[in-house]
Amino acid sequence: MKISVPNKRDFFAGLLFIFFGLLAALVARNYPTGSAIRMGPGYFPTLLGGLLTLLGLLIAARALWASGERVGPLALRPLVFVLGATLAFALMVRSLGLVLATLALVVISSLGGWEFRLREVTILAFVLTGVAVALFVYSLGLPLSVWPQ
């Protein structure tokens, strides 16, 4: 029996939501959940994983009846640059500090797009770096070094 999926894009998005929802619930099962009044460390990830799975089921089921756009070929360039930028940030943030790691994250990930405008990328990089430092270091007080040590 062959099942035709009219909206493949939403169907695959729903499957992705289901995968990550189940993964979050699976990882959180080893933590105590507690109750709604006294939440344990596993409560929130379990709740979000369940909601994400439910949302994925709804999106995937709706895709079986609604028509939509065709799924194009896999775009490797954005995938490689965005994942590479995330990996570079993770490797750089401790040794080079939040400022340089965030600047590198924005510049490397922007190379994955089809249009690269130096002026826009520069403005975005400095704005996002300022927001990251203000939010994570000063507002939340996270123990991140701002500059290289």
Side-chain angles (χ1 to χ4, degrees):
M1 181 169 111
K2 185 176 180 181
I3 298 175
S4 176
V5 179
N7 191 344
K8 288 182 174 51
R9 183 177 296 220
D10 281 356
F11 183 73
F12 290 127
L15 290 181
L16 195 63
F17 279 35
I18 292 168
F19 172 76
F20 282 112
L22 291 175
L23 182 67
L26 182 70
V27 169
R29 72 179 161 87
N30 294 326
Y31 298 117
T33 54
S35 65
I37 295 173
R38 295 187 51 85
M39 295 179 194
Y43 187 88
F44 199 62
T46 303
L47 180 68
L48 283 182
L51 289 173
L52 194 59
T53 302
L54 180 63
L55 181 64
L57 286 170
L58 291 172
I59 291 171
R62 188 178 139 255
L64 295 175
W65 291 281
S67 62
E69 299 177 27
R70 291 183 47 97
V71 177
L74 181 64
L76 286 178
R77 180 180 171 163
L79 182 66
V80 167
F81 277 103
V82 170
L83 288 176
T86 306
L87 181 62
F89 178 84
L91 294 173
M92 294 169 60
V93 71
R94 284 190 187 216
S95 59
L96 295 179
L98 185 61
V99 170
L100 296 178
T102 305
L103 289 172
L105 170 77
V106 174
V107 171
I108 294 170
S109 61
S110 67
L111 293 172
W114 306 119
E115 297 177 8
F116 182 87
R117 296 186 184 106
L118 183 61
R119 182 175 181 213
E120 291 177 6
V121 171
T122 304
I123 292 169
L124 179 65
F126 282 108
V127 168
L128 287 179
T129 300
V131 168
V133 170
L135 178 66
F136 295 119
V137 176
Y138 296 114
S139 295
L140 295 175
L142 295 179
L144 294 170
S145 60
V146 177
W147 297 104
Q149 296 191 12

